[in-house]
Amino acid sequence: MSPLNFSHTPEISIILPTYNRANYLSDCINSVINQSFQDWELIIVDDGSQDHTFEIINPFLKKSENIRYLKHKNRKQALSRNAGIQASFGKYITFLDSDDQYKPNHLEFRWEYMKANPEVDFIMGGCEMNGDRFVADYYQPGKLINIQDCAIGATFFVKRHVLFQLKGFKNIHYGEDADLWERAEKNFKTAKIPEIRTYIYNCSEDSVTQSFTPNIS
């Protein structure tokens, strides 16, 4: 699928959905700007924020041609990611949650891994987080699972055509990451890379994973 004529057709498209996360966004966006691998575009998809999100983003837009901004009425994370995918131009597509950050070698490592393993279509993993975090198990409702054992969509790094063939994320209340990974495993070559932890995962109190975590004692 060839993109239309555009001033920047990067190797990697980064999709960053956000909703009322203005206080986190500067650190998040700067972690992209400070990457060792620089052939990227960042597509920020504002899911109807009502805080000062645009005031934070606008200075970045003025400084960088690599950053684009989309806004729509609140439609939740899955459809926001799909909107970013549809607007992207990169050969590879990856993600970043608006309360998280990349380590400086995050994109470089994943890009080099895909180049060294051309048979692989879709990779995930490599999170750094403080302590153990447990969330609702997508496959066993009512039970908890360590988030390191989950499919974390923000760590997905995918060949462009794969996401379009899979038709992106399904608009479900919880587990859209696990669902996409499960569908990918059936049709494409996938790989987990948990040992190289270059994605900094911050599980904020208002995250989707927290809201679906059962209160068990």
Side-chain angles (χ1 to χ4, degrees):
M1 181 184 298
S2 298
L4 298 175
N5 186 27
F6 193 67
S7 60
H8 185 222
T9 52
E11 277 287 300
I12 302 171
S13 294
I14 305 157
I15 313 302
L16 194 170
T18 187
Y19 177 69
N20 290 342
R21 291 281 179 80
N23 293 337
Y24 299 96
L25 278 169
S26 289
D27 288 343
C28 180
I29 296 170
N30 277 318
S31 77
V32 175
I33 291 171
N34 294 328
Q35 287 297 294
S36 56
F37 185 94
Q38 283 289 306
D39 191 6
W40 51 260
E41 67 172 352
L42 174 63
I43 303 171
I44 303 169
V45 184
D46 186 344
D47 194 28
S49 295
Q50 299 174 9
D51 61 1
H52 58 291
T53 284
F54 185 71
E55 294 175 24
I56 299 297
I57 293 172
N58 196 38
F60 291 102
L61 296 175
K62 291 179 177 180
K63 291 178 183 178
S64 177
E65 294 182 353
N66 296 16
I67 301 176
R68 287 186 283 138
Y69 174 76
L70 311 175
K71 185 172 184 177
H72 55 222
K73 186 177 179 179
N74 186 253
R75 301 177 71 191
K76 308 304 180 185
Q77 183 165 264
L79 293 184
S80 292
R81 283 177 173 170
N82 287 348
I85 293 167
Q86 191 70 48
S88 69
F89 291 94
K91 296 177 184 177
Y92 300 95
I93 298 174
T94 191
F95 304 91
L96 176 59
D97 287 348
S98 54
D99 53 346
D100 296 341
Q101 296 96 41
Y102 290 160
K103 290 187 178 181
N105 64 335
H106 178 80
L107 295 179
E108 181 178 15
F109 171 76
R110 279 155 172 71
W111 183 79
E112 288 183 346
Y113 181 95
M114 296 296 271
K115 291 295 184 182
N117 300 276
E119 75 283 0
V120 175
D121 301 304
F122 192 142
I123 61 175
M124 77 160 181
C127 271
E128 178 181 290
M129 55 186 69
N130 296 322
D132 291 329
R133 294 184 183 271
F134 291 85
V135 296
D137 189 338
Y138 172 72
Y139 297 102
Q140 300 182 78
K143 294 187 177 181
L144 294 177
I145 185 173
N146 193 310
I147 200 167
Q148 291 281 20
D149 297 323
C150 296
I152 302 175
T155 70
F156 291 172
F157 193 99
V158 195
K159 291 177 180 175
R160 178 182 184 81
H161 73 91
V162 172
L163 283 176
F164 280 89
Q165 286 182 238
L166 291 171
K167 299 182 179 179
F169 293 87
K170 288 184 179 179
N171 187 27
I172 54 182
H173 291 300
Y174 182 73
E176 70 274 10
D177 299 350
D179 169 80
L180 181 62
W181 179 255
E182 186 176 32
R183 288 186 283 127
E185 285 188 305
K186 294 176 181 178
N187 297 283
F188 299 97
K189 177 67 173 178
T190 62
K192 297 180 181 180
I193 52 168
E195 66 281 358
I196 308 297
R197 299 186 176 185
T198 60
Y199 187 97
I200 303 172
Y201 188 99
N202 299 308
C203 193
S204 56
E205 293 181 359
D206 61 345
S207 69
V208 174
T209 54
Q210 288 293 94
S211 63
F212 278 90
T213 300
N215 183 16
I216 58 177
S217 57

